[in-house]
Amino acid sequence: MTQLAADSPPVRASQRSPRGRSRGRAPETNASVEGSAQREDWLAKAIFIALLTSIVFLQKVAVPGNIELVLPVAWAMLGGSAIFFRIGIDVGRFVLFGIFSFFVIGSQFLLGYAFSQNSLMVGLAITALLCFKIYVKSATYLWMMRTFVNAMLLVAVIVGLQQVLQHTLGAWTWPNLDQVIPLAFQYRTYNYMQLVEWGSIYYKPNGIFFLETSVLSQYIALGFLVEFLFFRRAWALAILLGAEIATMGGTGLMLLLWVAPFLIPRLGPRALAAAIPAAGIVVALAISSGWMANVSTRMGTFSTGGSSANQRFVQPLLYFENLNSIGLDALKGIGAGNIPQVTDTVWWPATKVSAEYGVPAAIALYIYLVYSLFKGTVSRTLAFGCLVQYSILNGSYAMPIFMATTAMLVTLFHVRPEELGQLKQELRTKL
């Protein structure tokens, strides 16, 4: 059964009978409601596990058309959940998605040339994932967050083993999914095996399951962020931070730097006193491992055409700098799938949507995105971290895993309203 409701929990107790009538049936009714809630929480856990598995461990698997497996998995789980229990469609999100769709579809009818219908439909299917909402108990929500962190801890161990193996036996001993997954079912265009630097004999770890080091680095950073916000286990934070350094990637560090202003004030005096020497140890490890030199070298190449930093963070901005010279195309776009396929340039969602569907569509996308992420969420800091990952660390408008990650961690699973306030209070007073 589906429900079209923004803030109502999926299970409601029946109206209580008047006093003196069927008084003995109240416990049975309450037990039935509680049992229904427990079943729905178990189904929510199943959806979470399916999303986590396809996002993290199957992200290199694609269906024909080079579409990541997570997109059909996500829609299959959402469709199945509508049959077995109530899944909410947030009214506000649904309306904003409709406005965005109006601009996206309408802009294509204003074009005088062909566009990719497949690209248009896939983009809408990806962004529509944020419309849905499933209410769970606070204990279930924390279980989901802990499960995500545990998955990242497993990935952190894999990263450590990869570094040990390549410095003892060689990187050729790493399991290679490119040799396992048939070519027709591999998600392409990412650099799975990436040298530390040109001419090096060493490779950056890819966590085996990840598209490339950059993506691996971001997900470990998200694991660190979730652990810090919800659990604060010192050993888990240390392992994740160590793995972040071991990846030799810079995008995860950038994500953490973006959210750092929201994390530091959460440290109490004792935690802050312990963090200072810990930070010194981390810096020493970063320098001795070569991570600091590698990242600083890449940070110094923003102005160098063809460099990773330039392609990720400069080229996407040049589109907006040249809006005055683009003319009418700035309003209606150049058509779905028609953005120039410049080698290795990472088009941000704002750039890609502006170029293909027009600036009004991009504005509508971000109003919808920000509303979905921040309204009623447990942690606005986590929502902001997902927004940063989606917006500037990847060319992620047409990539399902990043929107699916945002849905899995922030927008899809919401704590029941009667428990939300208490959970937020507990998190505010943690440490």
Side-chain angles (χ1 to χ4, degrees):
M1 180 186 301
T2 60
Q3 63 175 0
L4 190 65
D7 296 306
S8 54
V11 177
R12 298 180 178 84
S14 302
Q15 292 288 335
R16 193 178 281 182
S17 300
R19 288 180 181 267
R21 289 167 131 195
S22 303
R23 185 176 298 174
R25 296 179 59 185
E28 180 182 349
T29 302
N30 292 337
S32 176
V33 170
E34 182 63 24
S36 177
Q38 289 179 353
R39 286 192 298 273
E40 292 186 355
D41 274 32
W42 277 108
L43 286 168
K45 287 181 179 180
I47 294 174
F48 181 88
I49 291 296
L51 288 174
L52 180 63
T53 301
S54 55
I55 289 170
V56 174
F57 301 108
L58 298 175
Q59 68 176 236
K60 278 186 63 65
V61 180
V63 297
N66 200 35
I67 299 172
E68 286 181 296
L69 180 65
V70 66
L71 186 59
V73 167
W75 277 106
M77 297 304 294
L78 291 173
S81 67
I83 298 173
F84 294 107
F85 71 106
R86 297 184 184 184
I87 179 170
I89 300 177
D90 187 289
V91 174
R93 300 183 202 174
F94 186 73
V95 170
L96 291 174
F97 174 72
I99 295 172
F100 167 66
S101 301
F102 171 80
F103 281 112
V104 165
I105 297 172
S107 67
Q108 305 307 284
F109 289 101
L110 299 175
L111 299 173
Y113 33 85
F115 62 91
S116 169
Q117 295 182 11
N118 182 64
S119 179
L120 172 68
M121 298 309 296
V122 168
L124 290 176
I126 293 170
T127 51
L129 293 175
L130 299 189
C131 286
F132 299 93
K133 178 186 290 187
I134 298 173
Y135 283 97
V136 297
K137 296 178 180 179
S138 59
T140 300
Y141 181 84
L142 291 175
W143 177 90
M144 292 173 174
M145 296 300 102
R146 188 178 294 107
T147 300
F148 176 73
V149 172
N150 289 341
M152 293 306 101
L153 288 170
L154 174 61
V155 169
V157 172
I158 292 173
V159 168
L161 291 175
Q162 283 189 299
Q163 285 287 30
V164 170
L165 284 173
Q166 82 162 334
H167 283 88
T168 53
L169 301 177
W172 62 269
T173 59
W174 292 355
N176 189 333
L177 293 185
D178 283 346
Q179 298 174 359
V180 177
I181 304 171
L183 185 61
F185 296 97
Q186 290 181 21
Y187 188 78
R188 298 178 294 279
T189 74
Y190 274 76
N191 191 5
Y192 185 56
M193 296 294 292
Q194 183 179 0
L195 290 169
V196 172
E197 58 186 9
W198 182 258
S200 173
I201 62 173
Y202 296 113
Y203 287 85
K204 295 181 180 181
N206 53 26
I208 299 177
F209 302 103
F210 290 79
L211 297 171
E212 67 178 23
T213 299
S214 172
V215 180
L216 167 66
S217 175
Q218 293 167 43
Y219 277 86
I220 291 178
L222 281 177
F224 181 94
L225 178 59
V226 172
E227 176 65 34
F228 183 94
L229 291 172
F230 292 98
F231 309 112
R232 303 278 185 94
R233 297 171 296 183
W235 63 270
L237 292 172
I239 290 174
L240 291 167
L241 193 56
E244 185 65 57
I245 295 173
T247 65
M248 308 296 288
T251 52
L253 171 66
M254 182 170 289
L255 192 156
L256 292 177
L257 289 175
W258 273 90
V259 300
F262 305 102
L263 300 183
I264 294 175
R266 295 171 179 263
L267 292 173
R270 287 190 301 174
L272 188 59
I276 294 174
I281 295 173
V282 169
V283 170
L285 289 173
I287 294 174
S288 62
S289 67
W291 180 89
M292 189 73 77
N294 178 264
V295 171
S296 62
T297 298
R298 296 184 69 187
M299 291 294 185
T301 61
F302 280 95
S303 60
T304 305
S307 68
S308 176
N310 182 272
Q311 292 159 343
R312 282 181 177 274
F313 306 111
V314 177
Q315 292 302 319
L317 287 173
L318 292 180
Y319 175 86
F320 298 104
E321 183 179 311
N322 298 324
L323 275 180
N324 289 336
S325 63
I326 292 174
L328 186 60
D329 283 346
L331 294 177
K332 62 183 179 62
I334 59 176
N338 291 337
I339 196 168
Q341 299 300 310
V342 182
T343 304
D344 295 331
T345 297
V346 179
W347 296 118
W348 294 347
T351 308
K352 182 175 174 63
V353 174
S354 295
E356 295 188 345
Y357 306 104
V359 172
I363 294 173
L365 169 65
Y366 269 84
I367 292 174
Y368 163 62
L369 182 62
V370 170
Y371 177 89
S372 301
L373 278 167
F374 291 94
K375 184 179 182 295
T377 186
V378 173
S379 171
R380 292 183 177 179
T381 302
L382 178 57
F384 180 70
C386 287
L387 180 65
V388 169
Q389 184 197 31
Y390 174 79
S391 299
I392 67 174
L393 299 182
N394 305 279
S396 48
Y397 173 71
M399 281 196 65
I401 63 167
F402 299 111
M403 185 63 87
T405 299
T406 297
M408 178 183 71
L409 293 179
V410 181
T411 66
L412 181 57
F413 303 102
H414 277 238
V415 175
R416 297 178 186 277
E418 64 270 19
E419 299 182 24
L420 180 59
Q422 181 180 353
L423 177 59
K424 285 186 174 183
Q425 181 62 28
E426 290 174 357
L427 294 177
R428 280 194 293 267
T429 58
K430 201 174 188 66
L431 289 185

